[in-house]
Amino acid sequence: QGGLVDRCVITNNLASYGSATWGGGAYVNFGTLENCEISGNMMTQDNGGSYYIWGGGAYLLEGVMRNCNIHDNSSKSSASYSMAYAGGVYAGRNALIENCVFKGNEASYVGGAVYSYGESGNNVNITNCRFENNKAYYGGALYTEYYTDIVDGVVANNYSTSAGGGIYANSSNHIVNATIVNNAISESSYAAGIYCPNSNTVENSVVWGNRSAGINSNIGGYVTVRYTAVEGGYQGVGLTAVGIE
């Protein structure tokens, strides 16, 4: 617990069921990862067990990740795709992820780059981060379970099979000053940019060019949208509703 890891390369590590279930590359509890490269790490569960795996690149609980490059990590389960969370980073209560880049991470279930799980009064904060070319079944870039604030982020060119190619925001999450563009899902039932099955807020953002089975699909579900540019328009407060010509 605690401590600082600075200017390190954490790469090509493997944690599998039977030896660890949290953090393929690093496990951080009340500590800080800063100026690090976290790449090519993997969490696996392939022996038919029933345990969940969290965070192919790192597991972050009440800690800080700052100025890091997190790429090509994975969380995969051949026993059941629904066991594998967070190809890049699992972020739990009070975690702060700041000024980081996530590229090419993959989870076989949720959160290709990040899976977050905040608590009331102990939010996860993701600030000034970029997410590109990440992949999952739900939430190609991010799957935010509860109480997560995404501020000043870029979420572009990510992919999921079912919902939220960019972001799958479950409940009580807040997205502000974000650019969410050119994300995709292969199924046509849900939104490709941001999908919110429960109450969430999006404001002062741009949501554009996201596609569900090739069709314009930017925001869907139960979400309050304010002062946001949405391709094709959306019902909300102070919106810039721009059609497709």
Side-chain angles (χ1 to χ4, degrees):
Q1 293 186 352
L4 169 67
V5 177
D6 190 8
R7 295 178 175 85
C8 287
V9 175
I10 302 169
T11 188
N12 295 331
N13 298 288
L14 171 65
S16 61
Y17 165 65
S19 60
T21 53
W22 304 281
Y27 182 102
V28 181
N29 190 2
F30 292 96
T32 299
L33 281 172
E34 195 163 5
N35 305 309
C36 292
E37 179 180 354
I38 303 169
S39 66
N41 303 288
M42 180 182 293
M43 288 287 298
T44 66
Q45 201 259 65
D46 57 7
N47 63 355
S50 58
Y51 288 88
Y52 293 95
I53 56 177
W54 314 83
Y59 183 94
L60 183 69
L61 181 66
E62 297 194 277
V64 175
M65 179 176 286
R66 183 181 290 119
N67 303 328
C68 291
N69 183 8
I70 303 98
H71 65 91
D72 300 305
N73 303 283
S74 63
S75 179
K76 296 183 178 181
S77 171
S78 60
S80 170
Y81 78 92
S82 63
M83 299 289 184
Y85 290 64
V89 175
Y90 171 94
R93 63 181 182 271
N94 273 337
L96 170 63
I97 302 175
E98 185 177 30
N99 303 331
C100 292
V101 176
F102 292 81
K103 289 186 178 181
N105 302 286
E106 182 176 356
S108 57
Y109 187 40
V110 299
V114 171
Y115 173 88
S116 65
Y117 197 115
E119 300 173 0
S120 180
N122 295 289
N123 287 28
V124 173
N125 289 279
I126 302 171
T127 302
N128 196 32
C129 293
R130 187 174 188 91
F131 299 85
E132 292 184 73
N133 300 318
N134 302 285
K135 180 180 179 182
Y137 190 84
Y138 295 110
L142 301 104
Y143 189 109
T144 58
E145 193 77 73
Y146 304 111
Y147 299 103
T148 298
D149 298 322
I150 301 171
V151 181
D152 297 328
V154 175
V155 180
N157 301 309
N158 301 282
Y159 171 83
S160 73
T161 303
S162 183
I167 301 172
Y168 188 116
N170 187 25
S171 181
S172 303
N173 302 286
H174 186 202
I175 301 165
V176 60
N177 297 337
T179 300
I180 301 160
V181 296
N182 300 329
N183 302 285
I185 63 175
S186 58
E187 297 179 1
S188 59
S189 300
Y190 303 105
I194 308 168
Y195 178 67
C196 306
N198 300 292
S199 179
N200 297 271
T201 303
V202 178
E203 58 183 315
N204 299 328
S205 295
V206 175
V207 188
W208 202 272
N210 302 285
R211 297 289 182 267
S212 171
I215 300 170
N216 180 41
S217 177
N218 287 291
I219 301 177
Y222 300 92
V223 56
T224 300
V225 182
R226 303 187 182 100
Y227 305 102
T228 291
V230 182
E231 182 187 27
Y234 197 83
Q235 184 177 359
V237 178
L239 298 193
T240 303
V242 183
I244 303 172
E245 297 182 359

